[in-house]
Amino acid sequence: MDLITAQSTATPVTEAAPLKAAVILAGNREGRFAPVIADWFLAHADGHPAIETELIDVAGLDLPTALSYRPGPGTREVVADVGARPARADAFVVVTPEYNHSCPAPLKNLIDWYRAEWQAQPVSFVSYGGVSGGLRAVEHLRQVFAELHAVSIRDTVSFHNAGAQFDDEGTHRDPAGADAAAKSLLDQLVWWGRALRAARKAHSYAG
């Protein structure tokens, strides 16, 4: 299968330039809890002085299934248009639930469509679910992104029994631990994002 890669125009950056972080919202089931988690995380990320965010919601994408792809009218344009969004990012945050011990299929499909967009990029994870807190999805995703030459950030944010942790307005009932985890994740993402952005600017990635 030929991969369709979005082309981006390089612009000069400095270490002080804000890190462009694409926040990928992976949950797509009806009645999903995903927007509550995404809103909580975006409130933290948007308050970080070194980060600019863009939300990519898999539920709103119209990508064909990568593994059974057959070109159709407008398909290449759709794939290129969606691919332009990760192509302009300096880093990624995947907000994911756990479906059957792994990640949602639309997220995997988004990942599978592209290659250069992920290479030498930092990826961090915010997960949620029941007892496992979505961590089994994260462990699978680390292997997937490693295959694509991305760098996964060690620290995560995970919400176990997520529905019980937020009130009806989407406010975390006991935020201290989650807030500290989000700060650690964001600080590490900025460090890796700046380091890898500078490296990509100085040298073409060998992958």
Side-chain angles (χ1 to χ4, degrees):
M1 180 185 69
D2 292 330
L3 296 176
I4 300 176
T5 302
Q7 299 297 317
S8 61
T9 302
T11 55
V13 295
T14 66
E15 182 174 318
L19 198 72
K20 296 178 181 179
V23 179
I24 301 174
L25 185 54
N28 70 317
R29 289 180 176 174
E30 184 177 354
R32 62 186 183 158
F33 198 65
V36 174
I37 304 297
D39 288 347
W40 176 89
F41 178 76
L42 286 168
H44 287 73
D46 290 343
H48 197 293
I51 292 178
E52 292 179 352
T53 60
E54 177 183 3
L55 182 65
I56 301 176
D57 188 345
V58 299
L61 303 181
D62 193 25
L63 284 171
T65 302
L67 296 181
S68 62
Y69 170 65
R70 296 293 183 274
T75 301
R76 290 183 177 273
E77 290 77 9
V78 169
V79 173
D81 182 62
V82 172
R85 301 175 71 183
R88 60 177 172 254
D90 299 313
F92 298 95
V93 182
V94 178
V95 180
T96 185
E98 181 180 312
Y99 292 172
N100 302 317
H101 281 228
S102 191
C103 64
L107 170 62
K108 185 60 164 57
N109 190 49
L110 170 65
I111 295 168
D112 287 345
W113 264 114
Y114 308 101
R115 177 166 292 274
E117 288 78 1
W118 314 117
Q119 286 184 343
Q121 298 274 29
V123 183
S124 56
F125 303 98
V126 177
S127 67
Y128 62 96
V131 174
S132 73
L135 291 175
R136 290 174 292 201
V138 170
E139 291 310 305
H140 281 188
L141 288 167
R142 289 188 189 279
Q143 297 177 60
V144 172
F145 279 110
E147 179 66 19
L148 292 165
H149 296 238
V151 177
S152 65
I153 304 304
R154 189 269 182 197
D155 283 13
T156 64
V157 180
S158 61
F159 294 99
H160 304 257
N161 299 315
Q165 294 197 39
F166 293 82
D167 64 21
D168 292 341
E169 284 72 45
T171 302
H172 200 288
R173 299 179 188 275
D174 186 17
D179 288 353
K183 182 181 185 306
S184 178
L185 181 152
L186 289 167
D187 287 346
Q188 289 183 24
L189 187 68
V190 168
W191 191 96
W192 279 103
R194 285 174 169 172
L196 290 172
R197 182 173 64 182
R200 291 192 307 273
K201 184 173 182 291
H203 307 284
S204 297
Y205 180 63

